[in-house]
């Protein structure tokens, strides 16, 4: 996820569409460039999509715009894929902002998506209101991401296909060396236990996972 180590470099950093998995220019149709591109990496300042700034550092508006953009992603036929962003992955430094936005009962954000800016009917919200974002995504946090304390991820884990995978070549094989003729048993009076396996992490489809804030 963070582009560290061997698996973070090319060609392992490429997704199924042949583009770096974190990119602002994934092809909608691999075979027809005229159908445009979409972003799944919004950076720290966000990416303009249809004149709206999507993503950026974690906030109410960054989350809402990223959620809406993911839900709007199209397939090769120009129809909505039906992406359902349902999980936010955070470093532990962002767990409290994440809980405020996604788990608080009452909330009074300065703006929500395109609402709450300007004046008149679209003026900033005043006073607490029921939080419409509560429960829209589950939160997972891990210290393994703490090296990038502003990075956050939004994914669709609701279907059979997941945004990340673990490909198993050989399942774990467990071996016990306990035969009386084994050197470790005969010479040292010790039993040895061991296991080995072959597997690797892999990317899913880029439209299922978004990164922002880094």
């Amino acid at each position: 996820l963070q582009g560290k180590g061997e698996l973070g470099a090319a060609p392992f950093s490429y997704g199924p569409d042949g583009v770096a998995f974190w990119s602002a220019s994934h092809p909608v149709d691999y075979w027809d460039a005229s159908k445009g591109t979409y972003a799944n990496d919004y950076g720290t300042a966000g990416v303009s999509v249809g004149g709206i700034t999507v993503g950026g550092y974690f906030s109410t508006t960054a989350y809402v715009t990223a959620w809406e953009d993911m839900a709007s992603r199209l397939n090769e036929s120009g129809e909505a894929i039906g992406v359902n962003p349902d999980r936010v992955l955070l470093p532990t430094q962002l767990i409290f902002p994440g809980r405020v936005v996604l788990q608080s009962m009452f909330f009074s954000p300065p703006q929500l998506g395109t609402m709450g800016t300007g004046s008149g009917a679209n003026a900033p919200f005043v006073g607490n209101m029921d939080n419409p974002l509560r429960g829209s995504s589950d939160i997972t946090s891990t210290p393994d991401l703490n090296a990038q304390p502003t990075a956050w991820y939004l994914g669709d884990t609701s279907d059979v296909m997941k945004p990340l995978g673990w490909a198993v070549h050989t399942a774990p094989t467990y071996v016990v060396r306990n035969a009386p003729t084994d050197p470790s048993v005969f010479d040292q009076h010790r039993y040895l236990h061991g296991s080995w396996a072959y597997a690797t992490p892999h990317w899913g489809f880029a439209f299922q996972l978004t990164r922002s804030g880094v």
Side-chain angles (χ1 to χ4, degrees):
L1 287 177
Q2 296 181 312
K4 307 295 183 182
E6 181 181 358
L7 292 181
F12 306 107
S13 59
Y14 297 154
D17 56 9
V19 178
F21 188 82
W22 300 122
S23 173
S25 56
H26 285 284
V28 173
D29 188 336
Y30 181 83
W31 306 106
D32 187 353
S34 68
K35 295 181 181 178
T37 61
Y38 68 92
N40 78 334
D41 189 1
Y42 300 130
T44 59
V47 172
S48 180
V49 179
I52 297 174
T53 300
V54 176
Y57 289 120
F58 186 82
S59 68
T60 308
T61 297
Y63 167 76
V64 170
T65 53
W67 198 102
E68 292 174 343
D69 187 49
M70 285 189 68
S72 301
R73 289 175 182 169
L74 306 178
N75 61 20
E76 295 88 340
S77 300
E79 300 172 325
I81 298 174
V83 177
N84 176 34
D86 67 341
R87 185 166 298 276
V88 173
L89 178 61
L90 304 170
T92 56
Q93 294 98 324
L94 288 179
I95 188 62
F96 299 125
R99 288 173 178 171
V100 168
V101 174
L102 295 171
Q103 295 181 347
S104 61
M105 185 70 68
F106 297 103
F107 189 33
S108 182
Q111 62 186 76
L112 186 62
T114 58
M115 300 186 297
T117 60
S119 60
N122 207 30
F125 301 113
V126 177
N128 286 335
M129 63 180 183
D130 185 59
N131 183 7
L133 303 180
R134 185 177 68 253
S136 59
S137 293
D138 293 326
I139 297 178
T140 299
S141 66
T142 172
D144 290 336
L145 300 178
N146 285 6
Q148 293 178 328
T150 62
W152 58 281
Y153 304 82
L154 180 61
D156 179 358
T157 65
S158 64
D159 216 331
V160 176
M161 296 296 293
K162 306 300 182 184
L164 300 171
W166 181 253
V168 176
H169 176 276
T170 303
T173 300
Y174 186 71
V175 177
V176 180
R177 298 177 61 178
N178 59 0
T181 55
D182 190 286
S184 63
V185 177
F186 186 85
D187 297 338
Q188 303 177 32
H189 309 291
R190 292 193 307 169
Y191 292 159
L192 298 181
H193 304 257
S195 180
W196 62 273
Y198 288 131
T200 184
H202 67 84
W203 301 111
F205 294 110
F207 59 77
Q208 292 181 291
L209 189 62
T210 281
R211 178 178 74 171
S212 196
V214 64

